[in-house]
Amino acid sequence: MKKLLLSIAFLPILAFAQEQGTLPSFTEYGFSATHDSGKFASQTAFVGAAATNGIGARVGYSHYSAPGQSIDSPFVQATYVQAGKDLNIFGAAGVKTGVNGNVFIGQFESRKVVSESFAFGFSVNADVVESISSIKNGTSFYSIGANFDYLVAENLNVFVGLYDTEFSDNNSRQTLKTKTTWTFYPEQGVSAYVRTKDQRDSSPEKRDYFSPESSDLIVGGFQIRKFINGLVYTGAIDYGTERITTLGGDVSKNGVYTWNLGFQTAPAKRNGVTFGAMLISSNTSIASSSNENYTWYGLYSWLKIPF
């Protein structure tokens, strides 16, 4: 936790050292909901506001449920946002209650564009693990990550991300993610991609969430990003294989899929009302491995209104 708090405290200092962003003061509203075939569900709503210097606050409420169980969890956060031409930053830090005590929650996302072909970012996240037993037991996590995007050639992009996650039950997880994207129909925003994820747990087989000794994922898919009448519409679908190794050395290979559909106002828009929504589905999540009998859905939406 000390490592996380130092990261949260230090990174906003870097933000203030840069040119301030151009966002006006605004109010914001957000809603998300998840549901899986194991009948675990969550709903989260928040309202917030920020001044022209990027400093603001959020208050929100999460509800978690499973058969015969229900947990309510209010939270409050201080926030910071910066939106510039080459640097974008969002940070939030606060406390969530009602999950077997108070849990520190935080988020920091930054992205720096160095050139037309290279950008990098850093992230810090902390929250309760989203499974009903984790929420009952207060099992939380924090993660620190770094990533970069590199335009290898025209219409060919490579993303690499490396993340370290520490759980409150003494498990550590190292994750390497990659995504290679080829935009073969740029006029219509259509791309093909291959993404991978290699995950290793130091103390596997935890009861509160899915935690094999290792998990190796490779999938391929197609995505579209289309600008129509002031809105950006996106969609993606992929399929591949997840290789899971348990603590006892057993190995299984399962088919895994993900799809998403969304829309939002143009990311470059700095003034006026902005909003967006996305629907995601997969047969794997933090609570379960990939298998044909499991399905997870998530809905995420947001709205910002300047004042």
Side-chain angles (χ1 to χ4, degrees):
M1 180 60 72
K2 188 179 295 184
K3 182 179 179 183
L4 172 66
L5 293 176
L6 287 173
S7 301
I8 291 289
F10 177 69
L11 289 172
I13 295 175
L14 298 180
F16 281 106
Q18 306 290 330
E19 179 184 357
Q20 293 297 304
T22 57
L23 285 175
S25 54
F26 62 86
T27 58
E28 61 173 344
Y29 309 88
F31 175 78
S32 64
T34 69
H35 182 82
D36 69 15
S37 54
K39 298 186 178 179
F40 169 73
S42 70
Q43 299 86 37
T44 296
F46 68 81
V47 59
T52 54
N53 62 5
I55 299 175
R58 283 178 176 176
V59 292
Y61 190 85
S62 295
H63 176 74
Y64 306 100
S65 62
Q69 302 179 75
S70 178
I71 299 172
D72 296 312
S73 179
F75 61 88
V76 60
Q77 293 179 299
T79 62
Y80 175 76
V81 61
Q82 178 180 333
K85 180 181 178 181
D86 300 322
L87 178 66
N88 287 277
I89 291 174
F90 174 76
V95 176
K96 178 177 286 186
T97 64
V99 285
N100 194 26
N102 297 330
V103 173
F104 176 82
I105 58 173
Q107 181 184 2
F108 182 89
E109 302 286 344
S110 69
R111 178 176 170 81
K112 172 67 175 178
V113 177
V114 179
S115 67
E116 291 184 356
S117 61
F118 185 76
F120 67 90
F122 297 98
S123 65
V124 180
N125 289 279
D127 208 333
V128 63
V129 178
E130 282 213 1
S131 70
I132 196 65
S133 58
S134 294
I135 294 163
K136 284 181 63 180
N137 297 326
T139 304
S140 60
F141 74 92
Y142 73 84
S143 68
I144 299 175
N147 62 76
F148 70 83
D149 280 284
Y150 180 57
L151 188 64
V152 179
E154 186 177 5
N155 300 325
L156 181 63
N157 186 79
V158 173
F159 167 89
V160 178
L162 182 62
Y163 308 89
D164 177 72
T165 304
E166 304 292 329
F167 295 89
S168 59
D169 58 6
N170 299 316
N171 183 28
S172 298
R173 174 176 294 173
Q174 288 72 49
T175 305
L176 172 66
K177 295 181 179 181
T178 71
K179 184 178 182 181
T180 302
T181 305
W182 172 45
T183 305
F184 62 88
Y185 196 179
E187 295 83 2
Q188 298 298 325
V190 181
S191 306
Y193 63 88
V194 175
R195 62 181 180 91
T196 68
K197 183 178 74 170
D198 298 312
Q199 175 182 300
R200 302 291 183 269
D201 283 37
S202 64
S203 181
E205 310 299 338
K206 295 297 184 181
R207 63 177 183 173
D208 288 341
Y209 53 93
F210 177 60
S211 52
E213 186 172 46
S214 66
S215 171
D216 301 291
L217 175 76
I218 180 168
V219 301
F222 296 93
Q223 62 188 26
I224 185 170
R225 179 182 176 88
K226 187 70 174 176
F227 186 83
I228 303 174
N229 296 328
L231 294 178
V232 178
Y233 295 89
T234 59
I237 186 168
D238 59 41
Y239 184 84
T241 301
E242 183 178 31
R243 184 178 186 271
I244 299 167
T245 304
T246 65
L247 184 60
D250 294 332
V251 177
S252 62
K253 291 184 178 180
N254 301 319
V256 59
Y257 70 84
T258 302
W259 60 261
N260 66 71
L261 293 171
F263 66 90
Q264 67 175 73
T265 47
K269 185 177 181 180
R270 294 288 183 261
N271 299 293
V273 176
T274 58
F275 55 87
M278 178 167 284
L279 177 64
I280 308 173
S281 181
S282 182
N283 66 332
T284 183
S285 74
I286 186 66
S288 174
S289 66
S290 53
N291 67 74
E292 61 182 11
N293 298 317
Y294 179 80
T295 306
W296 175 91
Y297 295 97
L299 172 67
Y300 302 89
S301 62
W302 55 270
L303 168 68
K304 289 184 179 180
I305 303 175
F307 63 87

